[in-house]
Amino acid sequence: MFIIFGTKGYLYQLAILTLVCGQCGNPSAHTLRKRVTKFTLFFVPLFPISTKYQTQCTFCGAEQKVSAEQAERLQAQNAGAHGGQSSGQPQQQPYRS
């Protein structure tokens, strides 16, 4: 009998924010992303193992890690700037690790 297990990654785009980049210094759009790695058993994702947040500058491509609290605060600021309207569900895209 074989037991097949492993991990699978999911990438969620939570928001697009206008921030000043710490790398290039330009005020540009940044994507706020959530990366979740889930444990799989027989190719079925069961539970999350790790969750990480990051922003990426669309001008220079620099990535910066942010904490969960910072990500929630940035999302709240983004929702407040757009009149409390959300842009729908986050996009779910598997990534390969």
Side-chain angles (χ1 to χ4, degrees):
M1 177 181 201
F2 290 100
I3 297 177
I4 301 171
F5 64 93
T7 61
K8 184 173 183 179
Y10 295 91
L11 186 63
Y12 300 92
Q13 181 172 321
L14 302 176
I16 297 178
L17 313 162
T18 302
L19 302 169
V20 176
C21 180
Q23 182 74 25
C24 65
N26 290 315
S28 61
H30 286 67
T31 56
L32 177 62
R33 297 179 179 165
K34 175 181 173 181
R35 186 174 302 216
V36 180
T37 303
K38 293 186 178 184
F39 176 80
T40 61
L41 183 62
F42 293 104
F43 306 104
V44 177
L46 296 178
F47 54 87
I49 296 174
S50 72
T51 302
K52 297 177 184 175
Y53 296 89
Q54 67 182 20
T55 60
Q56 183 178 19
C57 177
T58 58
F59 188 80
C60 69
E63 295 181 352
Q64 180 180 359
K65 293 180 183 178
V66 295
S67 68
E69 294 81 20
Q70 289 173 325
E72 289 177 15
R73 190 169 55 243
L74 288 170
Q75 276 189 284
Q77 289 175 355
N78 187 45
H82 294 295
Q85 298 175 347
S86 64
S87 60
Q89 295 293 325
Q91 298 175 2
Q92 179 178 349
Q93 302 172 357
Y95 72 94
R96 296 173 195 232
S97 50

